[in-house]
Amino acid sequence: SDLREQEERGELLQPLIFVSLVLCSVLLYLKVSLMDPGFVKPEEEAEEAEGQGLVMPQVPGDIKLRRCGYCLVKQPMRARHCQLCQHCVRRYDHHCPWLENCVGERNHPLFIGYLSVQLVVLLWGGHVAWSGLYFQQSWEWLQHNILLLLSFLLIVIFTIVVLLLLVSHLYLISCNTTTWEFMSHHRISYLRHSELENPFDQGIILNLWGFFC
């Protein structure tokens, strides 16, 4: 009867939504960490994909595609070999130690979705933890609330980390560049020899549309 009364008052809706978000976050984490991030397949497939990378008019046409010295495949433009995954990854962004997988062409949008859902869960959890804290200047209060206080501090730290990650990735996506290209611009031939700082930038709207759609 108590559960029915709570349901009628709508008090069960928020916990159900929160649990659903946590479950969605876990499923996204498993999906991003276990899926193929865009591994470069045999050479004939890499060459087929290469036609799309060389149509960029701002990229010098005399840049030769290099053969990976580790897995011996001809790398498509914007691909990079990950020594931890033992594969070349298309549109390589970075290798995430928390996922034990690369973030690349195929799982990058899902990675952004995971960060977004995780941020909502952390903000909600932080709000719940904060609402349970009633500060008093006494040792007895600290003994009874130390775990809740530590939980809140951990949530704040993780929230800041996830927020910074999400904002930085959205900024790079809006510029149509990757973390690897942003950090190693001077070492990448198709960027170093380009007349433009970022030959792939088509404007914020087209960059976001091309990434998410």
Side-chain angles (χ1 to χ4, degrees), residues 25-43:
S25 174
V26 172
L27 293 176
L28 281 171
Y29 173 85
L30 293 174
K31 178 68 174 177
V32 175
S33 62
L34 296 176
M35 74 179 294
D36 176 357
F39 294 137
V40 178
K41 299 202 175 149
E43 186 172 338

Side-chain angles (χ1 to χ4, degrees), residues 174-190:
S174 69
C175 299
N176 197 1
T177 189
T178 64
T179 301
W180 173 57
E181 291 172 340
F182 181 78
M183 300 294 292
S184 306
H185 188 279
H186 62 286
R187 294 193 294 134
I188 302 173
S189 59
Y190 59 81

Side-chain angles (χ1 to χ4, degrees), residues 2-209:
D2 292 339
L3 285 176
R4 185 179 297 276
E5 291 177 1
Q6 290 178 346
E7 183 180 2
E8 291 175 354
R9 293 196 300 266
E11 295 178 0
L12 294 180
L13 182 61
Q14 289 190 2
L16 286 176
I17 295 175
F18 182 77
V19 171
S20 299
L21 286 173
V22 172
L23 180 60
C24 180
S25 174
V26 172
L27 293 176
L28 281 171
Y29 173 85
L30 293 174
K31 178 68 174 177
V32 175
S33 62
L34 296 176
M35 74 179 294
D36 176 357
F39 294 137
V40 178
K41 299 202 175 149
E43 186 172 338
E44 61 271 15
E45 296 186 17
E47 289 178 344
E48 180 182 348
E50 213 36 52
Q52 301 176 356
L54 293 177
V55 296
M56 301 298 295
Q58 302 92 332
V59 179
D62 58 348
I63 293 180
K64 303 297 183 184
L65 301 181
R66 65 185 296 270
R67 188 175 295 277
C68 177
Y70 296 96
C71 53
L72 302 179
V73 298
K74 190 173 287 187
Q75 287 184 336
M77 188 171 289
R78 311 190 79 179
R80 183 175 186 267
H81 183 85
C82 176
Q83 297 189 29
L84 295 174
C85 291
Q86 299 291 314
H87 285 284
C88 286
V89 181
R90 286 192 179 93
R91 203 181 184 277
Y92 174 87
D93 189 87
H94 71 286
H95 182 91
C96 181
W98 303 105
L99 297 172
E100 282 295 329
N101 195 12
C102 283
V103 175
E105 183 179 74
R106 294 189 61 192
N107 65 350
H108 200 171
L110 285 176
F111 179 71
I112 298 300
Y114 165 69
L115 289 179
S116 302
V117 174
Q118 191 65 48
L119 181 61
V120 173
V121 170
L122 287 168
L123 289 173
W124 196 334
H127 172 72
V128 172
W130 177 260
S131 64
L133 290 172
Y134 299 94
F135 293 99
Q136 297 179 6
Q137 295 183 351
S138 67
W139 177 249
E140 183 179 355
W141 176 89
L142 185 61
Q143 285 181 317
H144 284 88
N145 293 272
I146 185 66
L147 290 178
L148 185 59
L149 187 60
L150 289 176
S151 299
F152 176 75
L153 292 176
L154 283 175
I155 290 174
V156 169
I157 293 172
F158 285 126
T159 300
I160 293 174
V161 171
V162 172
L163 179 62
L164 291 176
L165 271 174
L166 182 59
V167 170
S168 63
H169 275 275
L170 288 176
Y171 168 75
L172 293 176
I173 292 167
S174 69
C175 299
N176 197 1
T177 189
T178 64
T179 301
W180 173 57
E181 291 172 340
F182 181 78
M183 300 294 292
S184 306
H185 188 279
H186 62 286
R187 294 193 294 134
I188 302 173
S189 59
Y190 59 81
L191 296 180
R192 189 172 67 249
H193 297 122
S194 174
E195 297 178 357
L196 301 178
E197 184 177 356
N198 180 11
F200 303 105
D201 188 4
Q202 297 178 295
I204 294 178
I205 295 178
L206 288 178
N207 291 339
L208 293 174
W209 179 267

